[in-house]
Amino acid sequence: MQKHSLNGTWELYYSDGERGRPPYFRDPDYQNPRGMRAEVPGCVHTDLIRQGMIQDPVNATNALQARWVEECIWTYRKTFEVAQTELHQNRCWLHFEKLDLNAEIYLNGKRLGSHHNVYLPCRFEVSEFLRAGINSLVVHIESGLIGAGDKPAAGLGASHSDYDYAKNLHKSHWLRKPNFQFGWDWSTRLVNVGISGSVTLETSEKALRTDSLQSIVTVSEDLNSATLTLRARVENLTGQELDICLQAEIPELNTTFTKTLTCPPKEHQLEVQVSLCGFELWWPAGSGAQKLYTLKTCIEHAEEAFPFPERKIGFRHIKVQEDPHPDGGNFCVLEVNHRPIFLKGACWIPPDMLMSRIDDTRVHRLLDLAREANFNFLRVWGGGCYESDGFYERCDALGLLVWQDFGFACKQYPLTDKALHVNATDEARYQVRRLSGYPSLALLCGNNEMEWANWEWDFNREVVMPDYGFFHHTLPRIMQDEAPGILYRASSPQSPGDAHSNLDDRGDQHNWHVSFENSDYRAYRKMDCRMITEAGFLGPPSLPTLQKCWAPESPPRIGDFSWFFHDNSIDSWHRSSMPDQAFLEHIGKPIQEFDIATYVYIGGLLHGEALSTFADNFRSKAFDSSAAIFWMFNDCWPCARSWTIVDYATHRTPAFWAIKRAFAPLHLSIRYLCESHEYVFHLSNDSQEPFMGSFDCGFCFFAGDRKPHPSREVKVPANSKTELIRLPADLAPEKETSKFVYGFLKDSDENLIDRNRYLGPRLCELELPDPHIEMELADGRLTFTSDVFALGVSIDLDGKQALADNFFDLYPGQPYTIPWPQADIPEVKHGFNFLSRC
């Protein structure tokens, strides 16, 4: 197979239905001076940015000025040369990796066909259309808005006609592309359009064309052996049966195997199963090593080799344990290699609104930050995309388990329509085949929140479950056919059995009581969920990223139009702003009174308090609860307020460090039991070694005095959660606004391993004195001390540096030391004690 890239510079032409006539460009002899330069892969928006016709839509209010792009038809044209020798006895194909979205393809004036799915590549045989010399390839493409224009929208989805008018405009229910592009609470509408994947001309004079290789590893229950299933998709070009040989090698296991097969004419799938042993297991991060093996595979025929690309495989056994729970309902625990794994992570979205700009460098940077924050899990949300091979390869290497939604979220999809059903089925089959070989893939889930919507969101008021059969019949059959052994759930959240789909005592949960209905994050302390996979609290991005919400010449001001445009839309869900109310409730002053730097600090501290409270609650309840997965990890554009700990610029948000501490392998958590008036201390040990050390706890007054409890030795088994002590509240009857409960954990050498505290009142109610903070730098270590309790000490608002810690507390008279490789001592930029006096 010879592959000739058609990437690079193309001509690009515009039509709004009045100006520009797309059919003219199909004529190879037609010339038009109004053509622009386009880069493939890419998208129309990035081409127009390069030519100065629009400004980057993610910044300021530029997205509003760029909306005309998604409303037009765009024509890409490329000429390329083919030698006569390439055509002689050759078969030829054009392969498009990704077309976004509705495309009509012409070669030398002849129509090849159309394509309507960004998640699914397309291929056309062009042997009869190619000619020696210059060839003209034309792609007419539009974002989907035009193609869906005559589709019905009434009755599909929620019945909130007062604000849900947007679905009547874009009708995205019909479009197989990422739904977040049509607007979500955390992003505006920016519908991509263009040739966003590679374009390749393939030629072959051989008997075979190799298409793809699927590898499925199934590990036995005793973990000592495994079956490797190889499925090679090939096309026999001869018109008669061929005897071929499938060869595979795993060098690290000194294993080679060969099997002779008969390949019928045309496209066919060849399958081989191989028994393996002597391997090391692949483990999630923190639970063991991420051992990967090289798989080399090729097909031989008539002494010619047709190799597949090398890939890595791993050996792991995954299941969800859902035994009856003694308190009712069921457990919901992900087990890897028969070991329960407490899932620490968040939901992942595409990291740019212009998806053609997303590359492996950016993806790997984000995944590395997830591990820096002590994640072992990511949930790829269904309103985004099926993540790339580069994403999964990095997750394999880092030990990040992945929950991948199919590309459906928060809508009713008219999947009783035959054409849409076939399109979505082909998409699902392709993606299951592509993803099933990655050891990091924990499970595939049919959709996001659509089952829940059937119960609670009035989804079936007019059109009754037009997509239920797809998720409960079509996708399970595809999983059975294409990826036996890979876990599948129909929806998230989902409760097993015939119960409501978002019950707390079984399955996984999306609990949005905090943020949607209640502005007090302390309500997280009362949540009991078996496996929470969504919950969140709003906070700021880093300071440099926040400044991108305004044009360079505009002074930033909280509450102006640019702020409103980049703010989360839940600001508009109630008659008064719920996020503003949360800020006022916990800080004591309106958000509008602060400059943006102070907002980043205060909002970030509040965000970190909320997320760490969330994480502490569920870690302290392991494995009655088996996860602390919040919404969400990353952003697709600069946000004024967002849910994330890594922002659009891949900077750490102020809340990043709170989650990093809360997800540490050894972590103290503190719960208050109202019934018995006790503070309960738990130690979570997610490592694979037992911990032995000492534990101190007690009450500390903000002004400096302490009421310590006697120190004790502790020993906690690996991969467990242990209750350490119950501390009666009446040991310190003084008012809560003057004190806090603390715990210190040290190893056998008296090194500080973790510390935590419990604050009962709201932040604005704390009686915090002015601190005197000193810093000393010696031997690459920076030590902070304070005479009183100092809450939320910040040394950086930019989030660019991989600091050991930030937004941390200083306890009275207790030195706190972090690694500091820099020569200069940093400035303490903010602390809540100072601000509480303002």
Side-chain angles (χ1 to χ4, degrees):
M1 175 80 70
Q2 299 294 316
K3 295 187 177 183
H4 308 278
S5 174
L6 299 182
N7 293 344
T9 302
W10 289 51
E11 299 170 30
L12 180 66
Y13 299 90
Y14 148 92
S15 173
D16 64 0
E18 187 66 36
R19 291 160 186 84
R21 292 293 187 266
Y24 294 166
F25 297 104
R26 302 168 196 168
D27 180 355
D29 298 323
Y30 178 70
Q31 299 297 318
N32 188 308
R34 299 186 183 91
M36 297 172 278
R37 289 170 58 91
E39 291 299 314
V40 172
C43 73
V44 173
H45 290 89
T46 54
D47 294 323
L48 298 181
I49 292 170
R50 275 191 292 269
Q51 294 174 67
M53 295 179 63
I54 62 171
Q55 300 300 308
D56 194 327
V58 304
N59 296 331
T61 57
N62 298 335
L64 292 174
Q65 301 166 27
R67 289 226 169 134
W68 61 274
V69 178
E70 66 199 44
E71 299 169 359
C72 299
I73 296 175
W74 297 91
T75 297
Y76 285 79
R77 188 160 74 164
K78 174 86 169 180
T79 57
F80 59 95
E81 191 169 0
V82 177
Q84 179 64 49
T85 53
E86 291 250 38
L87 299 179
H88 181 63
Q89 294 184 339
N90 275 8
R91 298 276 294 275
C92 307
W93 301 265
L94 275 172
H95 181 265
F96 293 87
E97 182 185 34
K98 192 177 293 184
L99 292 167
D100 192 359
L101 175 68
N102 292 326
E104 296 279 340
I105 300 96
Y106 292 80
L107 179 61
N108 296 325
K110 305 296 184 182
R111 184 178 184 275
L112 301 180
S114 61
H115 193 69
H116 310 282
N117 195 321
V118 76
Y119 303 128
L120 183 66
C122 70
R123 180 190 304 275
F124 300 99
E125 181 160 3
V126 295
S127 306
E128 63 179 294
F129 302 117
L130 273 181
R131 59 195 183 199
I134 301 298
N135 290 263
S136 175
L137 177 60
V138 170
V139 178
H140 303 306
I141 196 163
E142 57 94 7
S143 67
L145 298 185
I146 298 171
D150 62 347
K151 300 291 186 181
L156 290 171
S159 60
H160 309 295
S161 58
D162 56 336
Y163 69 83
D164 200 32
Y165 65 88
K167 73 178 183 185
N168 296 316
L169 172 66
H170 54 66
K171 301 179 181 178
S172 60
H173 314 69
W174 293 90
L175 304 178
R176 299 309 306 139
K177 66 185 299 175
N179 259 283
F180 84 100
Q181 295 179 8
F182 300 93
W184 225 266
D185 63 281
W186 35 266
S187 69
T188 190
R189 192 179 87 229
L190 188 68
V191 189
N192 292 195
V193 57
I195 303 177
S196 50
S198 292
V199 183
T200 308
L201 174 65
E202 302 172 351
T203 64
S204 178
E205 61 180 1
K206 308 299 182 183
L208 290 172
R209 181 184 68 83
T210 56
D211 186 8
S212 63
L213 179 75
Q214 181 185 10
S215 58
I216 305 172
V217 175
T218 306
V219 176
S220 64
E221 284 291 321
D222 64 10
L223 307 181
N224 292 323
S225 62
T227 299
L228 172 62
T229 301
L230 297 177
R231 292 175 169 174
R233 286 169 187 85
V234 300
E235 184 175 3
N236 178 349
L237 305 175
T238 66
Q240 57 190 6
E241 287 189 350
L242 298 176
D243 291 330
I244 65 171
C245 183
L246 179 62
Q247 295 185 344
E249 178 187 5
I250 304 176
E252 298 91 340
L253 293 178
N254 295 315
T255 298
T256 302
F257 46 92
T258 302
K259 185 169 184 179
T260 300
L261 301 163
T262 299
C263 182
K266 301 184 178 180
E267 293 187 23
H268 193 67
Q269 175 176 286
L270 306 174
E271 181 172 315
V272 172
Q273 291 190 336
V274 183
S275 297
L276 298 169
C277 58
F279 49 80
E280 297 178 37
L281 294 171
W282 181 94
W283 290 95
S287 298
Q290 290 76 56
K291 180 63 178 178
L292 298 170
Y293 293 84
T294 306
L295 176 64
K296 301 179 179 180
T297 313
C298 75
I299 288 175
E300 288 193 353
H301 168 70
E303 300 183 353
E304 283 194 280
F306 301 83
F308 290 98
E310 285 187 14
R311 68 176 306 166
K312 297 290 186 179
I313 61 171
F315 296 84
R316 87 287 184 269
H317 183 285
I318 292 185
K319 72 173 185 179
V320 177
Q321 191 267 96
E322 295 187 277
D323 295 340
H325 192 281
D327 295 333
N330 300 81
F331 287 96
C332 188
V333 181
L334 191 71
E335 294 184 354
V336 180
N337 304 326
H338 302 313
R339 182 185 298 167
I341 305 296
F342 189 88
L343 304 178
K344 300 178 293 187
C347 299
W348 170 283
I349 65 162
D352 202 314
M353 293 181 71
L354 296 179
M355 297 187 64
S356 65
R357 296 198 292 203
I358 302 170
D359 58 15
D360 282 350
T361 299
R362 186 177 184 85
V363 168
H364 291 180
R365 158 79 174 165
L366 287 165
L367 294 175
D368 290 347
L369 285 168
R371 279 299 301 128
E372 184 184 327
N374 291 309
F375 280 30
N376 62 8
F377 181 92
L378 285 167
R379 174 176 172 254
V380 180
W381 172 70
C385 65
Y386 302 89
E387 266 307 329
S388 66
D389 293 318
F391 170 93
Y392 276 94
E393 288 164 2
R394 190 66 172 170
C395 288
D396 287 351
L398 293 174
L400 288 168
L401 290 164
V402 181
W403 167 316
Q404 171 76 63
D405 283 354
F406 285 88
F408 303 89
C410 299
K411 287 180 170 63
Q412 279 187 309
Y413 292 83
L415 288 163
T416 52
D417 178 85
K418 183 176 181 180
L420 184 60
H421 187 274
V422 169
N423 195 5
T425 299
D426 290 345
E427 163 197 318
R429 197 174 297 278
Y430 167 78
Q431 294 293 347
V432 170
R433 290 171 177 174
R434 183 177 69 88
L435 298 176
S436 58
Y438 292 108
S440 56
L441 179 67
L443 61 85
L444 285 159
C445 179
N447 66 72
N448 175 78
E449 295 187 349
M450 290 163 57
E451 204 115 317
W452 183 20
N454 285 334
W455 281 91
E456 288 194 355
W457 298 1
D458 202 18
F459 258 27
N460 299 307
R461 187 174 66 89
E462 296 183 38
V463 180
V464 179
M465 291 190 285
D467 42 32
Y468 186 87
F470 185 79
F471 301 110
H472 289 267
H473 180 71
T474 303
L475 286 184
R477 288 190 62 180
I478 290 173
M479 293 296 297
Q480 180 178 316
D481 292 344
E482 304 295 346
I486 302 294
L487 298 178
Y488 172 76
R489 299 178 79 83
S491 187
S492 177
Q494 186 177 44
S495 305
D498 297 326
H500 185 291
S501 66
N502 198 13
L503 296 177
D504 287 337
D505 68 351
R506 67 198 71 186
D508 74 300
Q509 293 76 37
H510 295 188
N511 193 321
W512 284 103
H513 176 67
V514 172
S515 292
F516 284 9
E517 302 169 13
N518 181 0
S519 57
D520 192 348
Y521 65 82
R522 296 174 299 170
Y524 282 136
R525 295 166 176 165
K526 299 179 181 179
M527 284 188 185
D528 291 299
C529 300
R530 293 289 181 245
M531 178 191 279
I532 191 155
T533 50
E534 272 194 31
F537 198 87
L538 287 170
S542 68
L543 180 56
T545 301
L546 177 62
Q547 291 168 327
K548 294 290 186 181
C549 297
W550 289 271
E553 66 276 7
S554 301
R557 185 172 64 84
I558 293 174
D560 67 8
F561 184 77
S562 291
W563 167 279
F564 178 71
F565 187 58
H566 284 263
D567 197 6
N568 194 283
S569 74
I570 72 166
D571 174 75
S572 303
W573 290 10
H574 302 271
R575 295 178 69 90
S576 60
S577 167
M578 182 69 77
D580 284 3
Q581 176 61 35
F583 198 93
L584 178 63
E585 180 179 334
H586 291 281
I587 305 305
K589 294 187 177 182
I591 191 173
Q592 292 81 6
E593 291 189 9
F594 296 96
D595 61 78
I596 64 167
T598 307
Y599 156 69
V600 168
Y601 168 73
I602 299 178
L605 178 66
L606 182 60
H607 191 198
E609 288 293 310
L611 291 184
S612 59
T613 300
F614 165 85
D616 282 359
N617 175 65
F618 291 110
R619 289 196 76 178
S620 72
K621 297 174 181 176
F623 279 92
D624 296 320
S625 294
S626 68
I629 302 163
F630 63 91
W631 183 270
M632 58 192 188
F633 173 63
N634 61 304
D635 276 320
C636 65
W637 78 322
C639 293
R641 286 185 281 209
S642 189
W643 311 103
T644 63
I645 65 165
V646 178
D647 66 26
Y648 172 70
T650 70
H651 299 166
R652 301 159 186 84
T653 75
F656 178 92
W657 286 275
I659 276 293
K660 179 181 177 181
R661 293 190 294 265
F663 281 173
L666 285 159
H667 182 61
L668 286 169
S669 53
I670 309 170
R671 292 171 58 198
Y672 178 67
L673 301 182
C674 297
E675 302 82 4
S676 58
H677 302 290
E678 294 175 303
Y679 295 96
V680 183
F681 292 78
H682 292 97
L683 175 58
S684 298
N685 180 8
D686 292 344
S687 74
Q688 297 317 299
E689 299 294 333
F691 174 79
M692 290 180 289
S694 62
F695 167 69
D696 295 274
C697 66
F699 298 89
C700 184
F701 295 89
F702 296 131
D705 293 337
R706 286 201 300 158
K707 287 187 176 182
H709 193 271
S711 178
R712 61 174 56 194
E713 299 298 311
V714 294
K715 183 177 181 179
V716 179
N719 199 47
S720 70
K721 179 266 300 180
T722 300
E723 182 179 312
L724 299 179
I725 192 175
R726 296 192 173 206
L727 192 65
D730 59 11
L731 293 178
E734 294 82 357
K735 56 184 180 180
E736 280 194 292
T737 56
S738 68
K739 70 179 190 296
F740 63 98
V741 183
Y742 71 88
F744 290 136
L745 184 70
K746 297 180 180 179
D747 65 15
S748 55
D749 295 324
E750 289 297 302
N751 297 309
L752 181 66
I753 299 300
D754 192 37
R755 57 185 190 151
N756 207 348
R757 43 70 173 167
Y758 185 99
L759 300 174
R762 295 179 178 89
L763 297 183
C764 63
E765 297 169 341
L766 303 178
E767 299 172 5
L768 298 173
D770 291 333
H772 176 68
I773 298 174
E774 295 184 349
M775 291 175 282
E776 181 180 352
L777 178 61
D779 301 323
R781 297 179 66 78
L782 181 62
T783 299
F784 298 79
T785 56
S786 176
D787 56 338
V788 299
F789 178 76
L791 174 64
V793 174
S794 170
I795 55 177
D796 176 71
L797 293 180
D798 289 354
K800 299 176 184 179
Q801 300 181 66
L803 303 176
D805 204 359
N806 195 13
F807 282 76
F808 50 80
D809 300 335
L810 297 178
Y811 295 7
Q814 297 289 322
Y816 183 61
T817 301
I818 62 174
W820 191 261
Q822 302 174 47
D824 297 329
I825 293 178
E827 176 189 358
V828 173
K829 295 184 179 296
H830 290 92
F832 195 73
N833 298 52
F834 311 126
L835 292 168
S836 66
R837 298 295 185 194
C838 297

